[in-house]
């Protein structure tokens, strides 16, 4: 069985996915108002606080779309898990004694997993100095609707 070869001249650079994304074809409309937090976030006071801070800033910048909300939910829940695990470790110690000897506190795994999740998702929402500029920039070269970057934790 032979494969049919694609003529490279037929695939136009203008029709490529990266070119279409750069042109804004796949960019969803930014949310105009702050969306309600999902149930899991509402049930967690720490996650709810983070949701409110991050969402308010991203909506103000004009960079948050409805399709971003599930990832944002994961991010704020990871931020809450990280904070809670850190507090438990601080209170109970990083090591616990068992019959088999000293082992790392179970909250260490929770903290490490949450940290990896945060590390992967935070830059997508402009959290961190180097990624903040990337997320806040619009095609015109200004930050969101306000024209200036904002600090979501200020």
């Amino acid at each position: 069985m032979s494969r049919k070869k694609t003529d490279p001249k037929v695939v136009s650079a203008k029709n490529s996915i990266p070119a279409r994304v750069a042109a804004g074809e796949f960019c969803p409309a930014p949310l105009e108002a702050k969306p309600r937090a999902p149930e899991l976030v509402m049930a967690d006071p720490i996650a709810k606080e983070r949701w409110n801070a991050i969402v308010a800033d991203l909506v103000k910048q004009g960079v948050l779309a409805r399709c971003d909300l599930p990832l944002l939910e994961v991010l704020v829940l990871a931020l809450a898990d990280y904070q809670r695990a850190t507090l438990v470790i601080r209170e109970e110690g990083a090591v616990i004694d068992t019959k088999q000897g000293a082992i790392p506190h179970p909250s260490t795994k929770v903290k490490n997993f949450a940290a990896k999740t945060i590390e992967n998702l935070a830059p997508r929402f402009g959290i961190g100095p180097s990624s903040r500029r990337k997320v806040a920039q619009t095609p015109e070269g200004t930050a969101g609707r306000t024209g200036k970057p904002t600090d979501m934790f200020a």
Side-chain angles (χ1 to χ4, degrees):
M1 199 184 269
S2 66
R3 283 189 166 170
K4 184 178 178 181
K5 293 187 178 182
T6 305
D7 184 357
K9 295 175 190 170
V10 174
V11 180
S12 168
K14 289 181 182 177
N15 291 328
S16 70
I17 297 293
R20 292 168 68 190
V21 168
E25 188 175 324
F26 294 113
C27 297
L31 295 172
E32 297 290 328
K34 190 175 131 185
R36 179 170 159 69
E39 281 185 44
L40 286 175
V41 173
M42 292 295 287
D44 185 325
I46 298 170
K48 184 178 175 182
E49 180 182 324
R50 297 288 184 251
W51 175 275
N52 289 333
I54 294 170
V55 165
D57 193 57
L58 295 175
V59 167
K60 184 177 178 181
Q61 290 181 41
V63 295
L64 185 64
R66 185 151 312 282
C67 63
D68 299 324
L69 299 181
L71 278 180
L72 184 58
E73 179 181 8
V74 173
L75 173 62
V76 298
L77 290 170
L79 288 165
D81 288 346
Y82 183 89
Q83 184 174 342
R84 250 188 308 281
T86 300
L87 293 173
V88 168
I89 293 167
R90 184 182 301 155
E91 202 173 285
E92 298 176 9
V95 177
I96 59 172
D97 293 320
T98 67
K99 292 178 185 176
Q100 292 80 22
I103 62 168
H105 195 290
S107 290
T108 304
K109 285 185 180 182
V110 173
K111 182 178 176 178
N112 290 340
F113 186 77
K116 287 178 184 174
T117 302
I118 294 164
E119 182 181 11
N120 288 327
L121 294 180
R124 296 180 187 201
F125 294 99
I127 299 173
S130 63
S131 61
R132 191 172 296 117
R133 284 190 185 97
K134 292 176 188 175
V135 170
Q137 295 299 312
T138 64
E140 293 80 31
T142 60
R145 291 188 190 111
T146 63
K148 59 183 176 182
T150 58
D151 186 353
M152 61 189 67
F153 294 112

